[in-house]
């Protein structure tokens, strides 16, 4: 369609989706994590949307596929992180949704393992941009204000 109108093709863009699932153990907040693709660090559960897939549908599909959990459609966006081209193969947006209540069920052998970690533990378990997304998601969850990041660095100022 773009070529027919005499315009160049639209840029390739990747859309990532993730869930910020939490639970309290004693007085400490825990965050749900899954192994990163490299296997050397951890990240929020999720993955990439498919072509022409709505991001809320991608979220439900990816959470179910990657963790074996049965999530409900998300209601709140906590973080939008713009990932410049070159960091990945294509420019992208990573959207972190507030993980709504879910009912865990037995994971089948095809699902990825997951674990709970305290916010402090995410500092050593997760790489910089993912760690920053997690902390920004936590702040957005507490304040009710969505965070806009560029490769993990905050663009919008936290609410005072």
């Amino acid at each position: 369609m773009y070529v027919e109108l005499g315009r160049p093709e639209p840029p390739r863009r990747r859309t990532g989706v993730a869930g910020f699932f939490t639970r309290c153990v004693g007085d400490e907040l825990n965050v749900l994590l899954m192994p990163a693709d490299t296997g050397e660090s951890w990240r929020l559960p999720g993955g990439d949307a498919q072509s022409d897939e709505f991001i809320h549908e991608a979220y439900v599909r990816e959470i179910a596929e990657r963790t074996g959990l049965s999530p409900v459609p998300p209601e709140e966006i906590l973080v939008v992180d713009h990932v410049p081209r070159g960091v990945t193969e294509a420019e992208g947006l990573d959207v972190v949704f507030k993980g709504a209540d879910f009912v865990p069920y037995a994971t089948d052998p095809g699902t990825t393992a997951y674990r709970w970690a305290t916010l402090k533990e995410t500092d050593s378990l997760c790489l910089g941009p993912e760690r920053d997304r997690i902390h920004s998601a936590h702040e957005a969850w507490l304040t009710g204000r969505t965070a806009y990041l560029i490769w993990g660095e905050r663009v919008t100022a936290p609410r005072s």
Side-chain angles (χ1 to χ4, degrees), residues 20-37:
F20 184 72
F21 293 95
T22 60
R23 71 175 186 184
C24 284
V25 177
D27 61 349
E28 276 202 279
L29 185 72
N30 282 236
V31 178
L32 185 66
L33 300 175
M34 63 179 274
D37 295 334

Side-chain angles (χ1 to χ4, degrees), residues 70-149:
S70 182
V72 298
E75 297 178 4
E76 186 176 347
I77 294 176
L78 299 176
V79 173
V80 175
D81 190 5
H82 189 135
V83 180
R85 189 176 68 188
V87 173
T88 60
E89 71 281 354
E91 172 188 26
L93 295 175
D94 287 332
V95 179
V96 179
F97 291 99
K98 180 177 183 249
D101 293 336
F102 59 86
V103 178
Y105 58 88
T107 58
D108 67 41
T111 60
T112 304
Y114 60 92
R115 66 169 285 178
W116 292 96
T118 65
L119 284 172
K120 184 174 176 119
E121 288 172 324
T122 65
D123 289 341
S124 61
L125 293 171
C126 304
L127 297 177
E130 186 68 10
R131 180 189 62 236
D132 297 340
R133 269 185 221 111
I134 291 169
H135 286 285
S136 292
H138 178 242
E139 183 179 306
W141 180 58
L142 293 174
T143 64
R145 186 168 184 225
T146 302
Y148 174 57
L149 313 175

Side-chain angles (χ1 to χ4, degrees), residues 42-90:
W42 293 80
R43 66 182 180 97
L44 294 172
D48 288 337
Q50 297 171 355
S51 181
D52 295 325
E53 182 178 33
F54 293 112
I55 60 174
H56 69 283
E57 292 171 344
Y59 165 84
V60 171
R61 179 184 53 75
E62 284 289 343
I63 297 300
E65 287 177 5
R66 304 276 185 153
T67 67
L69 301 174
S70 182
V72 298
E75 297 178 4
E76 186 176 347
I77 294 176
L78 299 176
V79 173
V80 175
D81 190 5
H82 189 135
V83 180
R85 189 176 68 188
V87 173
T88 60
E89 71 281 354

